[in-house]
Amino acid sequence: MKKIRDYLYRLPAYLLWALFAALLVLAVFQGATDTERAKKITLMINVPEVDEKGAMRYLKELMPDVGLEMIKVRSFSYALFLEASLKEADIWIVKESDIGQFLPDFGPVAGFREGHPAYHYWQGENPDIWGLRVYEAAEDRGILQAYVNYGASGEKEDYYMFFNPASLHIGTGENDEAAFRLTEKLMGSEMKSPFIKGMDASIVPALEAGGVKYFNFKGEEQDVFEILAEAGLNAIRVRVWNHPFDEAGRGFGGGNCNMDTALSIGRRAAAAGLSLLVDFHYSDFWADPGKQMAPRAWGKMDLPEKADALYQYTRDSLLLLKAAGIPVSMVQIGNETNGAMAGEKNWENMAQLMKAGSRAVREVLPGARIALHFTNPEKTGSYRYYGEQLARYEVDYDVFGTSYYPVWHGSMENLTAALNEVAGRWGKQTAILETAYPYTLRDSDFYGNLIQEGTKGIARPYPFTLDGQQSFLKDMLDFCQNKLQNCAGLFYWEGCWISAGGGNRKENQALWEQYGSGWASSYAGIYDPQDAGRYYGGCAVDNQALFDEKGHPLEALKLFGP
Ligand code: CA
């Protein structure tokens, strides 16, 4: 009896041991499932501006074998959720203003703790207990924290990014890019910036106003920005003219692209998960090597006044995009500014304008890259010369961008040499900001194309056929990613520019005048009498689009996919 009684007395202890053993087995099993979990990455974003779809798409492209899921969070009881979410998410992007209520006076410094996989470091006297718990929870999991301080503009706007070191953080939006750049700095060379696959789509709203519709590969009508995103593009470029209208409010054409257009395109692009490149021409109409006229409003200004106006205009415009929550990944200061810009025709003056633009970008969108844009890479030594001038006058920029139309601009090999020299010598990124290639010699809108039957003085490195266009784009994408040093990306130029109307010249002309869907309307003559005033009309590049005359995508568009 005593034995039985002893046994009964000890039973709770036995049970405890059994429970302990069971827990041990469970823990080992849990370890195994943790290993399995590395096959899946969870992204959590509670910052509306962050380009979620773009981030997901890019992660999928980079890691096709890894399952991805996203937890979107918009509002919640913050403090408890933060801890819980850290346990679930591998990549986590959060706005400082959200975390701030729990972590007042958080200092602006972040850095690695020596010899530790995680880092966290803060200044400030009264870190709130919830904030501390979050950081401790992160550190316990070996989660890295990146802290981005957007203090320069005077508006406090800070972001945190937490991520599992086993994961990659990739996105294409401006805030994403900011977090990424800081992280890149902290992580050294382990991070790779997303390659931008973009398209200039500035003309789209004007075409749609005239009745143009776009279709996906299944033949269904769809928002064209969604079609582009689904094809694999991750960015849209939009040109911005200060005031492309006459005194009666009639548009100059070419899409009548001003900041309203940029906002409208930017919103639609963002909704489709695409970031924006804003291409400021600093003119009231087309700016290229042949014409760099100042906006009429700046016409009588001296250089310091003009630089200040350019700074204010850039700043105000970017603030509008920022307020609209549009992710801007790159800002272009001037368009094809080979030797002139906004009416200034020497490098000393141009540099002052460029610096004024750069300053506005850094202040308003510190996460965006600043691009400068040139053309005619076939002119020997010209890019070296521009690079020297930019260095001499200490212009602040990130990307040395170029137009590259192979019919006029020499071989890809020559382009490589010209751009790689700049990239190597001055430590800059390069980018193809404009490129295109014809798929036909047919004209679809009764306004002659730049490249048509009998066009003289052009190279034909590929046939002007559907296959030729595909071969060109395939080679070009390969070239950018494998031959060019530090190439940020490629933008196809106006691949959606097809024809509104289509019946006859007269019908089309009415649409060009009314909606600005041609390259120039007759109203542009008051600003550009020599060119637009004489040759105004429709589209000169409809045979270089990536959509056919009826708005159906061409096979070449698929090349932007993974
Ligand atoms: Ca045409």
Side-chain angles (χ1 to χ4, degrees):
M1 282 304 285
K2 188 171 179 295
K3 275 184 183 170
I4 292 168
R5 200 170 62 232
D6 283 353
Y7 179 78
L8 286 174
Y9 277 134
R10 286 175 194 157
L11 188 59
Y14 291 141
L15 286 172
L16 273 175
W17 276 112
L19 188 65
F20 178 73
L23 284 172
L24 198 67
V25 168
L26 204 64
V28 169
F29 187 72
Q30 186 63 36
T33 54
D34 277 348
T35 314
E36 286 301 304
R37 198 170 179 278
K39 297 277 186 193
K40 194 181 85 180
I41 288 180
T42 305
L43 176 71
M44 194 199 88
I45 299 176
N46 85 319
V47 185
E49 299 93 304
V50 167
D51 166 19
E52 297 156 348
K53 286 185 189 169
M56 287 294 281
R57 200 165 39 245
Y58 199 81
L59 281 167
K60 276 178 188 159
E61 194 175 310
L62 270 186
M63 299 179 286
D65 298 324
V66 175
L68 288 169
E69 66 176 21
M70 177 163 59
I71 311 171
K72 278 197 231 178
V73 183
R74 286 293 178 255
S75 64
F76 43 80
S77 166
Y78 214 83
L80 286 171
F81 186 86
L82 289 182
E83 285 186 72
S85 62
L86 276 173
K87 295 189 179 84
E88 296 300 323
D90 297 297
I91 304 173
W92 180 45
I93 304 170
V94 61
K95 209 176 210 170
E96 199 271 349
S97 53
D98 289 337
I99 206 173
Q101 58 182 307
F102 302 105
L103 195 62
D105 303 321
F106 199 84
V109 182
F112 270 116
R113 184 180 288 177
E114 204 62 45
H116 197 282
Y119 83 92
H120 70 163
Y121 177 74
W122 61 86
Q123 296 176 326
E125 302 202 342
N126 297 304
D128 183 271
I129 188 69
W130 287 116
L132 274 174
R133 282 194 190 177
V134 170
Y135 295 109
E136 282 165 7
E139 189 172 36
D140 286 348
R141 287 197 58 210
I143 282 177
L144 303 181
Q145 305 162 27
Y147 173 43
V148 188
N149 183 14
Y150 285 2
S153 62
E155 290 172 80
K156 192 166 171 52
E157 196 167 351
D158 302 333
Y159 295 87
Y160 287 89
M161 183 179 71
F162 296 83
F163 64 95
N164 186 321
S167 313
L168 281 170
H169 162 80
I170 301 290
T172 55
E174 182 254 321
N175 300 316
D176 254 359
E177 183 68 21
F180 166 73
R181 286 170 73 181
L182 179 73
T183 310
E184 183 181 47
K185 217 159 114 186
L186 296 168
M187 295 284 291
S189 58
E190 291 175 40
M191 307 288 284
K192 192 170 177 293
S193 189
F195 181 79
I196 297 172
K197 296 172 183 174
M199 185 187 288
D200 193 313
S202 307
I203 200 68
V204 163
L207 287 178
E208 289 174 335
V212 164
K213 298 186 189 329
Y214 295 95
F215 300 87
N216 59 28
F217 280 105
K218 285 181 258 172
E220 303 156 344
E221 189 183 337
Q222 194 180 356
D223 181 88
V224 69
F225 296 97
E226 285 177 13
I227 297 171
L228 297 178
E230 284 171 16
L233 283 93
N234 54 22
I236 293 295
R237 179 177 186 251
V238 60
R239 61 179 163 273
V240 176
W241 294 314
N242 289 43
H243 189 62
F245 298 92
D246 69 8
E247 285 179 1
R250 294 173 300 193
F252 289 173
N256 299 337
C257 295
N258 63 0
M259 272 309 296
D260 291 340
T261 322
L263 283 160
S264 154
I265 288 177
R267 283 194 186 94
R268 289 173 63 186
L274 302 156
S275 71
L276 202 67
L277 160 57
V278 188
D279 167 18
F280 289 114
H281 284 223
Y282 300 120
S283 183
D284 284 340
F285 206 37
W286 299 103
D288 56 44
K291 39 188 155 178
Q292 288 282 347
M293 287 181 285
R296 283 158 291 172
W298 302 357
K300 294 202 171 84
M301 291 179 177
D302 64 18
L303 183 66
E305 287 170 340
K306 196 189 279 183
D308 190 51
L310 190 149
Y311 163 81
Q312 290 294 343
Y313 176 75
T314 307
R315 185 175 185 279
D316 293 350
S317 300
L318 296 180
L319 283 171
L320 286 173
L321 290 162
K322 188 174 177 176
I326 294 165
V328 177
S329 52
M330 201 181 285
V331 181
Q332 199 184 305
I333 306 296
N335 194 73
E336 296 190 338
T337 50
N338 280 6
M341 175 172 164
E344 300 303 322
K345 290 172 183 160
N346 66 63
W347 267 96
E348 191 176 354
N349 291 5
M350 282 166 62
Q352 296 314 308
L353 298 183
M354 287 173 171
K355 287 165 89 162
S358 293
R359 186 159 59 89
V361 181
R362 295 285 189 232
E363 287 179 7
V364 180
L365 301 173
R369 279 175 277 187
I370 296 172
L372 301 177
H373 180 204
F374 305 96
T375 188
N376 303 115
E378 77 281 8
K379 289 187 179 166
T380 309
S382 60
Y383 282 16
R384 180 189 313 137
Y385 177 74
Y386 304 149
E388 284 168 352
Q389 298 311 306
L390 295 166
R392 177 182 173 193
Y393 294 110
E394 299 179 329
V395 176
D396 175 18
Y397 71 105
D398 304 305
V399 178
F400 189 101
T402 184
S403 293
Y404 179 64
Y405 296 99
V407 292
W408 299 298
H409 291 159
S411 67
M412 286 189 195
E413 289 68 30
N414 178 67
L415 178 66
T416 312
L419 287 178
N420 284 358
E421 182 180 4
V422 175
R425 193 161 155 196
W426 291 289
K428 300 297 178 184
Q429 290 191 303
T430 56
I432 308 299
L433 296 174
E434 290 184 18
T435 191
Y437 204 81
Y439 73 90
T440 177
L441 287 173
R442 199 173 57 248
D443 166 51
S444 64
D445 72 344
F446 304 94
Y447 184 86
N449 290 333
L450 289 170
I451 301 162
Q452 56 196 3
E453 206 67 62
T455 302
K456 299 233 171 6
I458 57 169
R460 294 168 184 246
Y462 304 87
F464 297 144
T465 61
L466 287 165
D467 283 347
Q469 187 189 51
Q470 283 183 61
S471 300
F472 157 72
L473 191 55
K474 187 168 181 293
D475 287 355
M476 197 69 208
L477 285 163
D478 174 63
F479 159 83
C480 287
Q481 294 176 88
N482 300 313
K483 304 267 176 19
L484 272 181
Q485 277 178 30
N486 212 4
C487 181
L490 168 150
F491 288 85
Y492 199 93
W493 195 71
E494 289 285 21
C496 304
W497 200 340
I498 55 177
S499 170
N504 54 65
R505 165 94 192 203
K506 199 178 164 205
E507 184 190 320
N508 292 358
Q509 181 76 41
L511 294 171
W512 304 333
E513 292 288 285
Q514 186 177 354
Y515 299 114
S517 53
W519 87 268
S521 73
S522 62
Y523 313 120
I526 58 157
Y527 184 65
D528 177 19
Q530 296 308 316
D531 193 7
R534 289 185 192 174
Y535 307 111
Y536 64 88
C539 177
V541 293
D542 49 81
N543 61 334
Q544 304 191 39
L546 294 177
F547 288 82
D548 71 14
E549 297 165 21
K550 303 288 179 202
H552 292 271
L554 304 181
E555 285 295 308
L557 191 65
K558 289 183 178 167
L559 292 165
F560 288 102

